[in-house]
Amino acid sequence: MTAEIIDGKAFAATVRGQVAEHVAKLQAGHGITPGLAVVLVGEDPASQVYVRSKGKQTVEAGMASFEHKLDAATSESDLLALIERLNNDPQVHGILVQLPLPGHIDSDLVINSIDPAKDVDGFHISNVGLLGTGQKSMVPCTPLGCLMLLRDRHGSLSGMDAVVIGRSNIVGKPMAQLLLGDSCTVTIAHSRTRDLPAVTRRADIVVAAVGRPEMVTGDWIKPGATVIDVGINRIDAGEGKTRLVGDVHFDSAAAVAGAITPVPGGVGPMTIACLLANTVTACCRANGLPEPQGLTP
Ligand code: GUN
């Protein structure tokens, strides 16, 4: 079997188009412009690239982008004071604090100081609890993007066996909750899981989010399974060059799977598209207006 390649780049462009359409309606009908504030502390190069990209795509969708770049030595109390201002700013509907934060700052404290209604990352403990109990919440962007890709391919996921490899708060755990919400039988596997290849081979859906380059190989995949690769790893490609690979060994997995996301061009573009979608959703909820359809679970 040769897998169908799931085009996350094209799907993300469609989602961004839907977001832009909804933004235009909010502006024309209600004079409201959704606004997203992104806070970056320090100079981590990867984080700088993400933040620039988020700002650009926010503006392209017709929304307001507020970037706050703070020095790496910024105190925790100054950061908390900024978040308090953003919580109270009616032009700001979504707040994202780029992670990781410098070591002297308590990330949990900072995330939990964001107004849950503006927590477009879905990391606030209230949103985690709401998602875990099947209530309306803000949903983390990367798992939401993965769910959209899976629903697009399969329609209903009901009764499918899903294995999520990785138990992070950002991807693994919320991904498992979303799949459970769609009536999958869900296994969360991780570095201590016994016989991980055998566990993964049972799955109709594999979501790999471990951060280990090309760890999941074709012999771990059930023929016809759908493989969603969340990993983004830069590896040495020889001659002083590097290349991006996922957590899945693409060629061997694609020879067995029914469908697979590539890296780059799979899950990555969906994350920012879902961030924009969450910002519009937050804006609609804040104003008591109907939410866009198909952009929330
Ligand atoms: N750092 C890596 N991924 C993310 C994300 O989804 N949200 C935030 N805030 N920081 C990140």
Side-chain angles (χ1 to χ4, degrees):
M1 177 172 301
T2 303
E4 179 195 323
I5 314 266
I6 298 173
D7 189 346
K9 201 172 160 190
F11 199 96
T14 306
V15 171
R16 289 198 305 273
Q18 288 171 280
V19 168
E21 234 173 76
H22 211 85
V23 170
K25 269 194 231 158
L26 284 172
Q27 281 164 340
H30 305 277
I32 297 168
T33 301
L36 172 65
V38 174
V39 181
L40 173 63
V41 185
E43 263 116 52
D44 177 62
S47 293
Q48 285 179 326
V49 172
Y50 288 134
V51 166
R52 209 173 307 130
S53 195
K54 283 167 188 167
K56 183 167 169 275
Q57 293 187 34
T58 302
V59 171
E60 280 169 5
M63 301 197 279
S65 169
F66 308 99
E67 277 183 24
H68 295 269
K69 293 188 177 162
L70 308 181
D71 192 85
T74 299
S75 68
E76 188 177 271
S77 59
D78 281 353
L79 178 56
L80 291 172
L82 169 62
I83 291 172
E84 187 56 25
R85 270 206 322 249
L86 298 173
N87 281 343
N88 292 315
D89 184 341
Q91 291 186 339
V92 173
H93 304 97
I95 301 170
L96 179 146
V97 178
Q98 186 66 30
L99 302 176
L101 287 167
H104 66 279
I105 295 176
D106 179 342
S107 301
D108 288 336
L109 182 69
V110 169
I111 300 282
N112 289 324
S113 74
I114 297 171
D115 176 349
K118 296 190 178 188
D119 169 37
V120 281
D121 257 329
F123 295 165
H124 189 289
I125 192 71
S126 306
N127 281 315
V128 175
L130 289 167
L131 178 63
T133 50
Q135 300 177 71
K136 194 156 97 169
S137 64
M138 296 306 301
V139 176
C141 304
T142 300
L144 178 58
C146 296
L147 185 74
M148 285 182 185
L149 295 175
L150 285 165
R151 283 183 178 167
D152 181 60
R153 173 162 177 81
H154 292 284
S156 169
L157 308 182
S158 181
M160 295 179 84
D161 274 315
V163 170
V164 179
I165 312 175
R167 54 177 156 178
S168 72
N169 292 334
I170 292 182
V171 183
K173 286 183 206 158
M175 185 77 248
Q177 294 288 4
L178 288 172
L179 291 166
L180 196 56
D182 269 27
S183 302
C184 291
T185 302
V186 183
T187 303
I188 305 180
H190 46 79
S191 55
R192 302 285 176 90
T193 297
R194 259 184 265 139
D195 201 353
L196 184 52
V199 170
T200 307
R201 253 191 311 270
R202 289 204 304 261
D204 304 307
I205 292 169
V206 178
V207 180
V210 263
R212 296 255 207 112
E214 301 181 317
M215 183 179 84
V216 178
T217 47
D219 56 323
W220 294 30
I221 306 294
K222 177 160 99 175
T226 298
V227 179
I228 304 289
D229 190 353
V230 179
I232 302 178
N233 312 287
R234 193 165 283 286
I235 62 165
D236 186 357
E239 297 173 355
K241 294 189 180 137
T242 60
R243 71 187 172 97
L244 278 187
V245 297
D247 292 347
V248 177
H249 185 270
F250 184 83
D251 288 346
S252 64
V256 185
I260 186 167
T261 59
V263 176
V267 173
M270 290 300 291
T271 298
I272 299 185
C274 288
L275 174 67
L276 305 184
N278 278 352
T279 304
V280 176
T281 299
C283 176
C284 291
R285 287 179 187 170
N287 288 284
L289 294 167
E291 293 171 25
Q293 295 299 302
L295 299 181
T296 49

